Amino acid sequence: FKIYSLSGSEIFSWSRRFPKADPVLEDGPWFFMHGKSDFPAKGTYLYILELQSEADGSSDLQSGKLLIQ
């Protein structure tokens, strides 16, 4: 999971293995500000979420906008 500013700078990255996950992930933990003292500026950010199965090698990618108000 990565978050970028609109200028293309990566501002957050998170990676984790889920070796015994169900075939469908309903949600995941949100640690965007974990370990940081400042909140992100209000505005629009871009995200990329990429998943890959260790069982069969299949993968999926989703991207979109994240709005902080």
Side-chain angles (χ1 to χ4, degrees), residues 26-40:
E26 296 293 331
D27 60 11
W30 178 250
F31 293 117
F32 181 51
M33 293 309 300
H34 183 70
K36 298 184 182 203
S37 59
D38 297 328
F39 290 101

Side-chain angles (χ1 to χ4, degrees), residues 20-61:
K20 296 183 182 195
D22 291 329
V24 176
L25 294 174
E26 296 293 331
D27 60 11
W30 178 250
F31 293 117
F32 181 51
M33 293 309 300
H34 183 70
K36 298 184 182 203
S37 59
D38 297 328
F39 290 101
K42 293 179 182 179
T44 303
Y45 298 88
L46 306 174
Y47 72 87
I48 298 175
L49 173 64
E50 185 174 9
L51 302 172
Q52 183 172 9
S53 170
E54 293 179 352
D56 65 7
S58 62
S59 63
D60 198 7
L61 183 129

